[in-house]
Amino acid sequence: MVSTLPVSLEDIRAAARRIAGRVTTTPMVQSASLGELAGVPVHLKLEHHQTTGSFKLRGATNAVLSLSPAQRLRGVVAASTGNHGRALAYAAKAEGAVATICMSRLVPENKVSEIRRLGADVRIVGVSQDEAQQEVDRLVREEGLVMVPPFDHPDVVAGQGTLGLEIIDDLPEAASVLVPLSGGGLAAGVAAAVKAISPTTKVIGLTMEKGAAMKASLDAGQPVQVEEVASLADSLGGGIGLDNRVTFAMCRELLDDVILLTETEIAAGMRHVYACERQVVEGAGAVGIAALLAGKIRGSGPIVAILSGANVDMGQHLRVINGTQPLYGEEGP
Ligand SMILES: *Cc1c(COP(=O)(O)O)cnc(C)c1O
């Protein structure tokens, strides 16, 4: 079953060898507070400690290292809601290549300035991921840059899959792995690795209630567009692409379930991980903890929750912790 998919366990193992030494092997720790709450052991994969603050460095590094010398010379380009742009800027610079990053005006300022600081050429275009993508297409067409998409590419998915390898190597008896889900690059890669090694381990996607394109697409049986809405989990925004080639099929085949979280639940996840684990985690990275706190994860353990990123605006983080952050489309906490 797994071998018919666009990314195999062998691709992921090759990616792990390629990016070794260039990305951080992040720690996994057991959470006493969440274990008590869930009644089964809960482990947290601290991927928000990854260089550049998210797992996106794995896929970006694998993609840049897979370029031909001629492609590397022309430079890479991507549309990004932030973390992919950061990662690609870093990965390109590490290999002596130029990265051009296109993003919409919805992206928080802290992420924009960070990408500029990493040496990328940032272009702000439009109010949606799709409009930013149109600028990418133009740069590919007219200036010959090489696109490295945030999720829908075999090299990117294989890179993200190395996170799944680390998890299942550390904890082969994991009963379920909770994966933040947007375009599905992380979920597809992690599920491909985990299920190839441990077919009985469940891989569950987690995303926000409103504007979840992969969930809507899985329900519809084909990629569909959804309206983009602001969320505490801003890294989970954006579409999956109506011409999705890799991640939709893999998520449909490999994910056991997709669970939706409200803004209030995501805020509670961010607060809990800060108060009980002393970790600063962005909204997208806190959805696994949010689901556990909300009682939305059932079944046996051990459970692994991936904390996928740390790149939250610090003012917003403070307001979430204080309970003063207005929550989009909901009453205050
Ligand atoms: C990109 C991102 C996700 C979602 O990853 P996909 O591959 O798009 O599903 C989750 N968390 C963080 C922090 C991210 O940056």
Side-chain angles (χ1 to χ4, degrees):
M1 168 191 91
V2 172
S3 60
T4 65
L5 294 171
V7 177
S8 69
L9 178 61
E10 255 330 296
D11 297 328
I12 296 168
R13 288 204 197 282
R17 287 191 294 272
R18 206 174 284 125
I19 70 178
R22 288 174 156 94
V23 305
T24 304
T25 301
T26 50
M28 190 146 81
V29 300
Q30 199 165 343
S31 165
S33 66
L34 289 165
E36 204 167 301
L37 193 115
V40 294
V42 174
H43 298 254
L44 305 177
K45 178 66 169 167
L46 306 185
E47 184 67 10
H48 63 301
H49 291 324
Q50 183 56 256
T51 310
T52 73
S54 83
F55 70 89
K56 292 277 198 326
L57 188 64
R58 295 171 184 266
T61 300
N62 190 46
V64 167
L65 291 174
S66 301
L67 295 174
S68 70
Q71 288 177 316
R72 217 177 273 195
L73 214 58
R74 288 207 296 277
V76 290
V77 61
S80 174
T81 57
N83 284 336
H84 175 62
R86 252 177 101 127
L88 189 61
Y90 182 96
K93 192 170 186 197
E95 302 306 321
V98 173
T100 301
I101 308 297
C102 307
M103 58 183 85
S104 86
R105 285 197 287 273
L106 292 182
V107 175
E109 180 53 35
N110 68 312
K111 295 193 173 185
V112 178
S113 55
E114 187 63 23
I115 289 167
R116 283 217 176 90
R117 200 180 61 75
L118 287 164
D121 175 10
V122 173
R123 301 200 189 175
I124 310 259
V125 266
V127 290
S128 72
Q129 185 80 357
D130 290 341
E131 283 175 84
Q133 186 57 44
Q134 284 164 17
E135 176 68 3
V136 171
D137 295 341
R138 192 189 67 76
L139 289 168
V140 170
R141 211 169 45 238
E142 294 175 12
E143 298 179 26
L145 305 194
V146 180
M147 178 169 72
V148 178
F151 52 87
D152 198 30
H153 190 287
D155 294 335
V156 173
V157 171
Q160 320 307 27
T162 62
L163 184 47
L165 276 189
E166 284 174 24
I167 289 170
I168 210 69
D169 281 352
D170 270 12
L171 197 72
E173 70 274 27
S176 37
V177 179
L178 310 182
V179 190
L181 175 66
S182 176
L186 178 63
V190 165
V194 165
K195 286 185 172 284
I197 295 169
S198 172
T200 59
T201 301
K202 291 199 174 357
V203 179
I204 298 166
L206 304 156
T207 190
M208 68 277 192
E209 206 164 58
K210 300 195 183 94
M214 183 60 85
K215 167 68 176 165
S217 300
L218 292 170
D219 288 348
Q222 62 183 52
V224 295
Q225 232 156 353
V226 298
E227 197 192 333
E228 248 186 271
V229 282
S231 169
L232 279 181
D234 56 274
S235 291
L236 301 185
I240 71 163
L242 292 178
D243 56 349
N244 187 292
R245 292 176 307 121
V246 178
T247 60
F248 174 71
M250 290 185 74
C251 286
R252 185 174 52 186
E253 182 81 27
L254 297 172
L255 289 186
D256 293 282
D257 201 359
V258 176
I259 290 170
L260 304 179
L261 285 315
T262 66
E263 295 298 304
T264 304
E265 288 165 347
I266 295 168
M270 292 170 75
R271 271 196 298 275
H272 182 93
V273 74
Y274 184 69
C276 298
E277 312 288 341
R278 299 293 194 266
Q279 302 289 335
V280 174
V281 177
E282 62 176 280
V287 289
I289 288 170
L292 285 162
L293 290 174
K296 291 182 171 177
I297 307 295
R298 281 171 234 294
S300 60
I303 296 169
V304 177
I306 295 175
L307 310 188
S308 54
N311 293 322
V312 56
D313 174 85
M314 287 316 290
Q316 185 191 71
H317 190 260
L318 206 58
R319 291 190 297 276
V320 170
I321 300 308
N322 287 337
T324 56
Q325 169 71 24
L327 297 177
Y328 314 104
E330 294 183 32
E331 305 269 323

